[in-house]
Amino acid sequence: VERLNFATQQLGDKEKPGVRAMIDKITTGGDEIVSAERLVDACLDQLGAIRVSENTRSILVDFALREGDWNAGSTGRDEEAQRRVAEILGVAASTLEFQRA
């Protein structure tokens, strides 16, 4: 449980340089509308291209969907977009697949 909490806390902290670099790579994708599915895929890629089960991916997408789609071009440097990506990274770090990677 401690390892899980640690990973979630560390990867959800957008002030950490490594997390900031991952967020920047995810949020500078251009002016297209990014779906929750693509946002989750980008986060999983940044975490080491981990593969997750369909159930886990569905849970991550549902989590990302609670705020709907977002425009990466206009919000890429936006504080809210950065917070949102950091939250998804943190939740993805809590998955069984990430913990076993």
Side-chain angles (χ1 to χ4, degrees):
V1 172
E2 287 179 34
R3 180 177 62 186
L4 178 67
N5 290 338
F6 177 79
T8 302
Q9 181 182 33
Q10 295 299 306
L11 288 168
D13 184 353
K14 64 185 180 64
E15 301 306 318
K16 296 206 176 291
V19 176
R20 167 70 54 209
M22 287 189 282
I23 291 170
D24 289 345
K25 287 179 183 177
I26 293 167
T27 59
T28 56
D31 292 331
E32 63 191 76
I33 299 295
V34 178
S35 67
E37 291 85 359
R38 288 188 60 199
L39 181 57
V40 166
D41 290 341
C43 289
L44 292 173
D45 284 345
Q46 286 301 308
L47 289 173
I50 60 172
R51 293 180 187 254
V52 296
S53 70
E54 283 300 315
N55 185 51
T56 298
R57 187 171 187 282
S58 176
I59 291 168
L60 291 170
V61 169
D62 286 347
F63 180 79
L65 275 172
R66 53 185 189 117
E67 296 181 41
D69 291 344
W70 62 299
N71 185 317
S74 64
T75 62
R77 292 178 180 80
D78 182 271
E79 187 72 24
E80 184 64 20
Q82 294 172 5
R83 177 202 55 79
R84 186 173 177 188
V85 172
E87 284 181 355
I88 295 168
L89 289 170
V91 171
S94 72
T95 65
L96 181 63
E97 292 90 344
F98 181 81
Q99 293 295 312
R100 290 190 175 171

